[in-house]
Amino acid sequence: MKILVCISDVPDTTTKIKFAGNKELDKAGIQWIINPWDELSLTRAIELKEAHPDKIENITVINVGTTASEPTIRKALAMGADNAIRVDSEPKEAYFVAAQLAEVIKSKQFDIVFTGLDSADYNGSTVGGMLAELLDMTSVSAVSGINIEDGKVIVSREIDGGTQKLDVQTPFIAVVQKGIAIDPRIPAMRGIMMARTKPLEVVAPANIDNLTEIVEYEMPQPKGKCRKFTEENVNELVDVLHKEAKLI
Amino acid sequence: MTVLVYTENREGKFKKATFELLSYAEELAKNINAEVVALSIGDVSPDELNKLGNYGAKKVVTVKNDKLALLDNKLYTAAIAEVVKKENAKIVILADNLSGRALAPRLSAKLKAGLVSGVVAVPNSYDPFVIKKKVFTGKAFANVKINSDIKVLTLSQNSFGIKEASGNAPQIEAYNVELAGESNAKLVSVDMITGKLLLTDAEIVVSGGRGMKGPENWTMIEELAELLGAATACSRPVSDEGWRPHGEHVGQTGKIIAPTLYIACGISGAIQHVGGISSSKVIVAINKDPDAPIFEVADYGVVGDFQKILPQFTQLIKDVKNS
């Protein structure tokens, strides 16, 4: 079985977001990380490969990005991916990214493709589903667990009001959320050394139209000042919540 | 022209989020002289379908097909796409929830229709079509232009509200879709949460952080939640420590919620946590540190020891409820 993990590099989740004018993200001082959901997907893929070395032969990571995303790709290789592909383009928007990924995947065979349910930057929750449709593949969304049992791939997904376990035939795309792995794999020194020599293939982008574009950014309106109470006048807060805000 | 709304049901009943979607669609449709058509997949009673008319649906297309018994994203997308074509819909609206997030991207790629997910308002303009969405987990907004003829949107929950419309009973039309192929997934087991209010459905959420000191103190949170008819939640360190289940984690990498009232106890307000709750209408924070960042986003705060504050707070609310 071959696994592909799609990774995007995003600003660290603690980043204070600023824009240059209102058109562009101010990238000064931002630390870039593997999108948290992608990092958990890769962790789970590595765990599966370790548990089933006879079944899983290879883990590839793929990224649509410029040379700026190579440190993130190298980190994924250091974590334990076997090889990497980078589609050499700015990731302009979700459809553009999905279509670039689809072009690469078409020419290679993967049994399970992981994508993150969300991205910490544009919060699209979109690439996985688009990719599946472009490749006419099955997609399972909100995946919180994946296991290989008796040669079958068993997937847990969250649905409205509960969880389902599914026996899913490969190939398919798993759109992954929290729970898939507990803690992300931390690269060991040996992994970091090995990552330098692992293959990273750079692919030229295909010609794809953008379906959407960001016109401008806005910052949220600052909130009014917080009205503070103390241990001694909690009764006043309850009064306000009851009479003014009418919430209780 | 029509605006098509995918209306999801849970065991034959529509949720408030669905009525919000229709209210939003009605407002949008008015601006472009279009009609709202709702699409309902599965078994829903005529009475329940009629409710959709109260929020603006002029027509409800119902689709029943054995192949749609299990939520298979590919087959559902095929069914929705067929109705989009049949109704000549130019705008398709889904909820920004589990199923909306699963289906909207597939639909976007299938129809080559630009998708903006998690929109928070009606479009700024229709030609060009520009609409506002949250980015960087609520830390900013982006105004996004859609270039394609058909547009797909998912609406961020509680961003528009529910508005009743004129309320004529909608025309109900059963429509038969032909679906090629079978699902590649077989259901092994289901585990539904029963007898408990779902975090994403709750109007009020009571949440605890590491400042609660230990799982034994959650009885205070639970007691308050029960009194308010609220769901319980927690911050990431709490679920990582195993004090509470992962399903309760709200924040950037957990659940993103938008209740009417969010009560944060012993939560310092790390930026990742705030990302998951910043759309709440009113935030009340209880924290011993007067400089905790949670007070920057809170509407009301109590500075002090939760062990003194929470029992009082609960008792006072009990008194209000009994009066």
Side-chain angles (χ1 to χ4, degrees):
Chain A
M1 228 186 276
K2 287 182 178 166
I3 296 180
L4 179 71
V5 182
C6 303
I7 59 172
S8 64
D9 67 333
V10 298
D12 182 90
T13 51
T14 56
T15 307
K16 283 224 168 190
I17 297 299
K18 283 181 298 198
F19 299 101
N22 54 6
K23 304 277 184 206
E24 231 177 298
L25 179 67
D26 179 356
K27 291 181 178 169
I30 289 183
Q31 188 175 354
W32 297 84
I33 59 164
I34 305 178
N35 184 39
W37 293 266
D38 306 346
E39 192 181 29
L40 291 174
S41 302
L42 176 57
T43 300
R44 187 60 191 149
I46 295 164
E47 288 170 359
L48 286 174
K49 192 180 170 207
E50 286 165 353
H52 306 277
D54 53 323
K55 294 220 168 59
I56 293 164
E57 46 183 303
N58 184 274
I59 300 170
T60 304
V61 291
I62 187 166
N63 167 262
V64 178
T66 62
T67 47
S69 63
E70 288 205 358
T72 298
I73 297 173
R74 288 286 171 205
K75 187 186 172 199
L77 291 170
M79 283 170 68
D82 298 295
N83 62 306
I85 303 168
R86 179 171 67 80
V87 181
D88 189 20
S89 168
E90 280 283 345
K92 291 177 192 159
E93 52 112 36
Y95 181 80
F96 176 89
V97 170
Q100 296 295 351
L101 294 172
E103 285 300 315
V104 176
I105 296 169
K106 254 183 232 166
S107 62
K108 307 185 190 253
Q109 288 285 317
F110 293 101
D111 301 281
I112 306 174
V113 177
F114 285 107
T115 68
L117 177 67
D118 200 355
S119 71
D121 47 7
Y122 297 102
N123 305 123
S125 324
T126 42
V127 169
M130 286 180 176
L131 180 61
E133 192 64 36
L134 291 170
L135 295 168
D136 195 27
M137 275 168 78
T138 295
S139 61
V140 186
S141 191
V143 169
S144 56
I146 184 162
N147 273 301
I148 297 173
E149 295 169 16
D150 303 326
K152 290 179 188 161
V153 182
I154 304 294
V155 176
S156 306
R157 70 163 171 189
E158 190 181 349
I159 53 161
D160 180 38
T163 319
Q164 286 181 335
K165 258 191 188 177
L166 304 171
D167 169 357
V168 189
Q169 241 174 293
T170 58
F172 70 93
I173 293 185
V175 185
V176 168
Q177 68 167 11
K178 197 186 151 113
I180 186 93
I182 303 304
D183 286 312
R185 181 69 57 104
I186 309 291
M189 190 41 89
R190 188 162 165 270
I192 296 167
M193 300 300 284
M194 280 168 63
R196 293 185 189 155
T197 55
K198 283 180 179 172
L200 194 172
E201 185 188 344
V202 178
V203 184
N207 194 9
I208 308 288
D209 290 337
N210 289 347
L211 293 182
T212 63
E213 57 196 89
I214 291 176
V215 184
E216 64 175 0
Y217 292 102
E218 262 176 57
M219 294 306 282
Q221 295 293 327
K223 265 214 147 173
K225 219 171 152 32
C226 173
R227 247 168 99 178
K228 282 191 184 155
F229 301 84
T230 64
E231 287 166 14
E232 278 70 48
N233 63 356
V234 179
N235 59 320
E236 287 174 30
L237 169 64
V238 173
D239 223 39
V240 169
L241 290 176
H242 179 54
K243 289 184 183 141
E244 278 178 41
K246 297 197 188 326
L247 288 165
I248 53 175
Chain B
M1 207 191 340
T2 54
V3 175
L4 185 73
V5 179
Y6 171 63
T7 57
E8 183 187 22
N9 69 80
R10 186 190 296 158
E11 280 151 15
K13 298 276 181 238
F14 294 117
K15 291 176 296 177
K16 278 187 175 173
T18 300
F19 301 140
E20 183 184 25
L21 275 189
L22 286 166
S23 308
Y24 173 82
E26 167 69 3
E27 176 76 22
L28 193 155
K30 259 197 290 190
N31 294 338
I32 52 168
N33 259 327
E35 278 198 349
V36 176
V37 176
L39 163 61
S40 169
I41 295 179
D43 270 320
V44 182
S45 71
D47 276 356
E48 192 71 13
L49 291 172
N50 276 333
K51 283 187 193 167
L52 302 178
N54 298 340
Y55 305 94
K58 295 285 176 296
K59 180 173 166 184
V60 181
V61 177
T62 62
V63 170
K64 277 187 209 172
N65 189 311
D66 290 344
K67 288 186 181 176
L68 300 174
L70 182 73
L71 172 61
D72 179 288
N73 299 332
K74 190 171 151 185
L75 295 172
Y76 265 66
T77 301
I80 299 171
E82 226 187 277
V83 177
V84 169
K85 286 189 189 130
K86 167 184 136 49
E87 294 295 328
N88 187 28
K90 293 295 177 206
I91 299 173
V92 189
I93 303 173
L94 300 92
D96 187 35
N97 62 10
L98 287 166
S99 59
R101 286 171 159 216
L103 300 172
R106 290 203 74 128
L107 196 60
S108 162
K110 191 174 188 76
L111 301 170
K112 237 188 159 222
L115 162 66
V116 181
S117 57
V119 301
V120 293
V122 290
N124 308 354
S125 66
Y126 291 86
D127 189 16
F129 192 96
V130 178
I131 194 159
K132 185 163 152 178
K133 72 162 295 202
K134 275 192 269 190
V135 290
F136 298 101
T137 322
K139 290 180 210 165
F141 296 104
N143 291 299
V144 186
K145 181 170 143 227
I146 304 185
N147 297 326
S148 55
D149 179 36
I150 302 178
K151 284 102 181 153
V152 182
L153 309 173
T154 66
L155 177 69
S156 192
Q157 203 175 328
N158 284 351
S159 59
F160 187 77
I162 295 173
K163 288 178 191 155
E164 294 213 14
S166 52
N168 289 333
Q171 175 200 346
I172 295 175
E173 179 190 330
Y175 184 66
N176 192 22
V177 293
E178 296 292 333
L179 296 170
E182 296 289 329
S183 174
N184 282 340
K186 274 197 301 256
L187 187 62
V188 178
S189 62
V190 192
D191 185 11
M192 296 305 276
I193 301 164
T194 50
K196 198 169 168 251
L197 181 62
L198 294 180
L199 193 46
T200 43
D201 286 353
E203 296 277 336
I204 303 180
V205 173
V206 185
S207 186
R210 197 152 41 184
M212 291 296 295
K213 293 191 179 135
E216 66 279 3
N217 289 324
W218 248 262
T219 44
M220 284 187 246
I221 299 253
E222 280 166 343
E223 200 188 336
L224 178 59
E226 201 187 314
L227 179 65
L228 293 170
T232 53
C234 68
S235 65
R236 178 171 174 172
V238 167
S239 65
D240 282 357
E241 292 283 342
W243 296 357
R244 300 297 293 176
H246 281 288
E248 285 197 5
H249 164 203
V250 291
Q252 193 159 12
T253 52
K255 288 203 168 61
I256 312 279
I257 55 170
T260 315
L261 175 60
Y262 182 75
I263 303 175
C265 312
I267 293 178
S268 64
I271 197 162
Q272 297 98 324
H273 183 75
V274 169
I277 57 138
S278 59
S279 301
S280 308
K281 284 244 160 58
V282 173
I283 297 172
V284 175
I286 298 171
N287 204 298
K288 68 174 187 325
D289 175 8
D291 298 321
I294 191 77
F295 291 122
E296 286 165 30
V297 293
D299 299 273
Y300 306 105
V302 190
V303 182
D305 181 358
F306 76 89
Q307 290 185 319
K308 290 194 184 124
I309 296 162
L310 269 179
Q312 268 196 72
F313 190 56
T314 305
Q315 186 56 48
L316 286 160
I317 294 171
K318 236 182 241 171
D319 296 345
V320 166
K321 296 231 173 213
N322 290 336
S323 67

